[in-house]
């Protein structure tokens, strides 16, 4: 009864005013002018874009929609800083290699008016080379196979985020997954948008493997101590089903072969990291 009243109050409050949204993006280095201009063009009234990080290229813009917070920090701290700075109703955590579809932000506000506080967005992964397409194929298959954890929410009510304390500032990998686990435990209402977000994959094999190495190293340290092994296994144990789905897709054999090679290399890297960790613990 209390939960029902809370939902009714939330819907009444949200329907009585023009809702706003803050797009928070951690940034490292150069700002792409086209990316920023597009975001400004689809931003609802009285909403803003908050860029946080070690931004080395100044932005020349007279728009009051853009806020720049220059701070050298990891993704979790950057997002928390943006969260503390904003006062909008909704918060959208967007990565720099992603682009929202034109109607996404408006749809998110409509969904929030219906009483939802957690919003998942279908991702469309785009690669321009064989390796980029292979990476996109794997991620798209993960999303299709694992609807529960394969796609982490990117839009939350600001009130809810402040209530749970935001991101774990020590995490620089799986921080969004760890946040989602805490929020999910509160049994809040979730919804999916129909409008997608476009995720542009790295096109170089070296860049893809560098990112994988970063995740593997981080996962074996702070993330492992913060997120339970059970939750991590639950997220990744569906890899066999993901592989079958990827191989059954309509992608070309070249892309599928690159997808296999890519995941074999990642598996070798992971095994090497595990063995190295065991050896270090044994010797020291």
């Amino acid at each position: 009864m209390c939960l029902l009243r809370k939902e009714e109050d939330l819907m009444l409050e949200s329907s009585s005013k023009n809702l706003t949204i803050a797009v928070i993006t951690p940034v490292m280095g150069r700002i792409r002018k086209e990316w920023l201009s597009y975001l400004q063009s689809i931003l609802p009234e009285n909403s803003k874009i908050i860029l946080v990080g070690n931004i080395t290229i100044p932005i020349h813009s007279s728009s009051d929609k853009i806020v720049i917070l220059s701070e050298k920090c990891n993704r979790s701290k950057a997002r928390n800083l943006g969260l503390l700075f904003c006062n909008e109703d909704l918060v959208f955590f967007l990565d720099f290699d992603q682009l929202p579809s034109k109607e996404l932000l408006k749809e998110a506000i409509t969904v929030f008016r219906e009483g939802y506080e957690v919003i998942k967005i279908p991702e469309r992964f785009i690669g321009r080379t064989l390796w980029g397409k292979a990476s996109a194929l794997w991620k798209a298959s993960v999303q299709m196979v694992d609807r529960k954890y394969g796609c982490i929410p990117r839009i939350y009510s600001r009130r809810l985020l402040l209530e749970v304390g935001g991101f774990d500032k020590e995490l620089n990998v799986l921080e969004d997954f760890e946040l989602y686990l805490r929020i999910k435990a509160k049994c809040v209402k979730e919804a999916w948008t129909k409008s997608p977000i476009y995720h542009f994959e790295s096109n170089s094999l070296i860049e893809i493997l560098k990112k994988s190495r970063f995740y593997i190293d981080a996962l074996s340290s702070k993330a492992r101590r913060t997120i339970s092994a059970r939750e991590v296994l639950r997220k990744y144990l569906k890899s066999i089903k993901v592989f079958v789905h990827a191989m059954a897709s309509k992608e070309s054999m070249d892309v599928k072969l690159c997808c296999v090679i890519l995941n074999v290399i990642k598996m070798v890297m992971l095994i090497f990291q595990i063995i190295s960790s065991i050896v270090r613990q044994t010797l020291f």
Side-chain angles (χ1 to χ4, degrees):
M1 188 71 179
C2 181
L3 180 60
L4 180 60
R5 189 178 296 112
K6 179 181 176 182
E7 291 177 1
E8 290 174 347
D9 291 343
L10 179 64
M11 292 178 67
L12 182 62
E13 178 186 351
S14 63
S15 62
S16 63
K17 65 175 183 176
N18 293 325
L19 296 176
T20 55
I21 186 166
V23 180
I24 299 177
T25 301
V27 178
M28 287 293 291
R30 183 179 298 274
I31 302 294
R32 284 185 289 129
K33 183 179 178 181
E34 298 79 9
W35 178 86
L36 193 57
S37 297
Y38 174 77
L39 279 184
Q40 288 181 261
S41 70
I42 65 172
L43 205 63
E45 186 179 359
N46 297 322
S47 298
K48 67 167 68 86
I49 302 164
I50 303 177
L51 305 174
V52 189
N54 186 22
I55 306 173
T56 57
I57 305 298
I59 302 174
H60 302 287
S61 174
S62 59
S63 174
D64 57 359
K65 291 183 177 182
I66 303 172
V67 176
I68 304 171
L69 303 176
S70 295
E71 186 75 25
K72 190 174 182 179
C73 55
N74 66 24
R75 287 192 309 185
S76 296
K77 291 179 182 178
R79 288 169 170 174
N80 283 342
L81 185 59
L83 176 61
L84 291 175
F85 192 87
C86 77
N87 56 10
E88 281 70 24
D89 304 290
L90 290 175
V91 179
F92 179 15
F93 295 110
L94 181 71
D95 290 339
F96 205 51
D97 57 357
Q98 297 173 330
L99 207 60
S101 52
K102 195 171 183 179
E103 299 299 321
L104 176 59
L105 300 184
K106 291 180 181 178
E107 184 184 353
I109 288 177
T110 300
V111 170
F112 183 67
R113 288 186 188 280
E114 297 172 358
Y116 296 94
E117 292 191 86
V118 177
I119 301 175
K120 291 184 175 183
I121 307 168
E123 292 195 47
R124 302 289 182 265
F125 299 94
I126 299 172
R128 302 188 188 281
T129 64
L130 273 177
W131 295 114
K133 290 177 181 178
S135 180
L137 171 60
W138 183 260
K139 291 183 179 180
S141 298
V142 169
Q143 184 175 254
M144 291 301 296
V145 169
D146 188 2
R147 296 286 287 178
K148 187 174 182 180
Y149 293 114
C151 185
I152 303 299
R154 291 196 169 272
I155 301 179
Y156 297 92
S157 74
R158 177 174 174 272
R159 179 201 64 78
L160 178 61
L161 288 169
L162 293 176
E163 184 179 318
V164 301
F167 291 90
D168 183 332
K169 64 181 182 180
E170 298 302 321
L171 290 181
N172 200 29
V173 64
L174 292 183
E175 73 283 353
D176 45 4
F177 180 56
E178 190 274 338
L179 172 69
Y180 181 43
L181 291 176
R182 281 187 282 126
I183 286 180
K184 198 170 182 63
K186 299 180 72 65
C187 299
V188 296
K189 293 180 67 177
E190 299 180 17
W192 282 80
T193 62
K194 293 181 180 179
S195 302
I197 187 173
Y198 299 101
H199 192 147
F200 296 90
E201 294 299 302
S202 299
N203 291 313
S204 163
L205 175 60
I206 293 176
E207 289 300 317
I208 293 172
L209 293 180
K210 279 183 179 178
K211 184 178 290 188
S212 298
R213 177 60 185 271
F214 169 77
Y215 272 78
I216 289 170
D217 289 347
L219 187 59
S220 64
S221 54
K222 292 178 181 177
R224 185 181 60 189
R225 296 194 297 269
T226 304
I227 306 173
S228 70
R230 178 182 177 184
E231 295 296 348
V232 174
L233 285 173
R234 182 183 296 176
K235 181 177 176 65
Y236 290 107
L237 274 179
K238 294 183 179 179
S239 295
I240 296 177
K241 289 184 179 179
V242 174
F243 178 79
V244 172
H245 185 278
M247 294 303 104
S249 72
K250 295 181 180 180
E251 281 288 358
S252 68
M253 287 305 299
D254 287 346
V255 172
K256 291 178 183 179
L257 179 59
C258 287
C259 184
V260 172
I261 295 172
L262 198 56
N263 281 281
V264 168
I265 295 174
K266 289 179 181 179
M267 182 62 67
V268 171
M269 291 168 61
L270 178 60
I271 292 172
F272 179 78
Q273 177 65 33
I274 293 172
I275 293 174
S276 298
S277 178
I278 293 173
V279 170
R280 283 195 298 268
Q281 291 177 10
T282 303
L283 294 179
F284 303 104

